[in-house]
Amino acid sequence: MGDPTLIIGNWKANKTEEEAVVWFDSFRDQLASLSDEWGNKQAVICPTYPLIPTLNKIVSEKEIPITIGAQDISEFGQGAYTGEVPSIVLQRQITFCIIGHSERRKYFNETDEILEKKVVAASLVSTPVFCVQSENTKIPESVRFVAFEPIEAIGTGKADTPEDGEKVAVAIKEKNKNVISVLYGGSVTSKNVSDFTKMPNISGVLVGGASLDPIEFASIIKQC
Ligand code: PGA
């Protein structure tokens, strides 16, 4: 078997703790129908920071085959950086860490220089998944996992074509020799996911809106 297909749900700034608990209960109800489909797939949910310990506890106690990731990380270590969450706080809490999402670049002015530092910080405690908006986005050298997320496809219901996703994935791997895995993100649903994951160079998906619904997320896992 090759590398698992990776399905990462990015909850962004959504869900209270109560809502998250309900989500996992409902996702758990879907597991029976998923057991044959799980095969070579790895699913991750990236909630807001305060939910990370709670959700780790839930997945471990209820034996739910999802791991927990983060949506961002501080470029700094521990110290006088008000409002930041340094890598050490996330130690043993996260499997993957999304870095450089276009919303972070847009609303929080994250530059190539900052993102390079964030990749270093995230690598101390997880596998960074570096988001790029095109094949020309600068990717730090150590990065192995990339998510191609064309801005016009994010949250619009207008996914890119799988052919374009494949073309960009190939170009990213050609230009960045350490990249082993390229995910596609942008309006992924259970209806279009397999069109992307069947492409030879697309190793999984980064799912925003559709990951907020546990039944739809389970269906995405099933279909990909
Ligand atoms: P979307 O978001 O699935 O809601 O388009 C994707 C993302 O921003 O990662």
Side-chain angles (χ1 to χ4, degrees):
M1 252 195 293
D3 289 332
T5 303
L6 190 56
I7 305 114
I8 303 184
N10 174 11
W11 280 1
K12 307 188 180 182
N14 290 294
K15 297 216 185 281
T16 63
E17 182 168 323
E18 245 171 31
E19 289 166 344
V21 170
V22 170
W23 189 101
F24 273 85
D25 276 344
S26 166
F27 182 82
R28 194 164 162 242
D29 293 341
Q30 304 297 314
L31 283 177
S33 74
L34 271 175
S35 56
D36 292 343
E37 325 282 342
W38 209 268
N40 201 23
K41 295 172 189 174
Q42 187 178 4
V44 184
I45 286 290
C46 301
T48 55
Y49 288 129
L51 299 187
I52 291 175
T54 312
L55 297 188
N56 269 316
K57 199 158 175 267
I58 289 177
V59 295
S60 123
E61 283 177 3
K62 300 191 174 172
E63 297 183 347
I64 298 171
I66 281 186
T67 64
I68 306 303
Q71 301 171 15
D72 183 31
I73 202 161
S74 177
E75 70 196 271
F76 302 109
Q78 290 191 82
Y81 305 105
T82 302
E84 288 291 270
V85 177
S87 61
I88 196 162
V89 172
L90 296 170
Q91 202 168 31
R92 290 184 292 276
Q93 298 265 356
I94 57 167
T95 48
F96 290 88
C97 184
I98 300 170
I99 302 287
H101 191 282
S102 55
E103 289 153 12
R104 300 242 23 118
R105 295 176 194 256
K106 179 176 169 193
Y107 299 120
F108 305 97
N109 304 317
E110 294 191 349
T111 59
D112 289 346
E113 201 186 12
I114 291 172
L115 294 175
E116 198 143 350
K117 291 183 189 157
K118 290 196 172 206
V119 165
V120 173
S123 302
L124 297 173
V125 293
S126 65
T127 300
V129 177
F130 194 81
C131 298
V132 304
Q133 291 70 45
S134 82
E135 64 186 70
N136 299 321
T137 308
K138 188 161 181 257
I139 299 176
E141 210 187 316
S142 64
V143 165
R144 289 160 52 237
F145 286 71
V146 164
F148 166 52
E149 298 209 306
I151 289 177
E152 58 284 2
I154 296 182
T156 57
K158 293 187 189 123
D160 200 347
T161 62
E163 292 72 24
D164 193 50
E166 171 70 8
K167 199 177 93 214
V168 174
V170 169
I172 288 170
K173 285 185 184 169
E174 266 166 16
K175 289 184 193 172
N176 301 275
K177 294 298 174 205
N178 288 328
V179 172
I180 53 166
S181 208
V182 179
L183 315 183
Y184 167 77
S187 297
V188 170
T189 66
S190 58
K191 301 226 162 35
N192 62 20
V193 67
S194 65
D195 298 337
F196 289 98
T197 52
K198 74 181 178 209
M199 290 293 173
N201 286 284
I202 297 181
S203 317
V205 282
L206 182 52
V207 187
S211 72
L212 297 173
D213 175 348
I215 295 169
E216 172 66 359
F217 193 65
S219 185
I220 288 173
I221 295 169
K222 215 174 194 174
Q223 299 300 328
C224 75

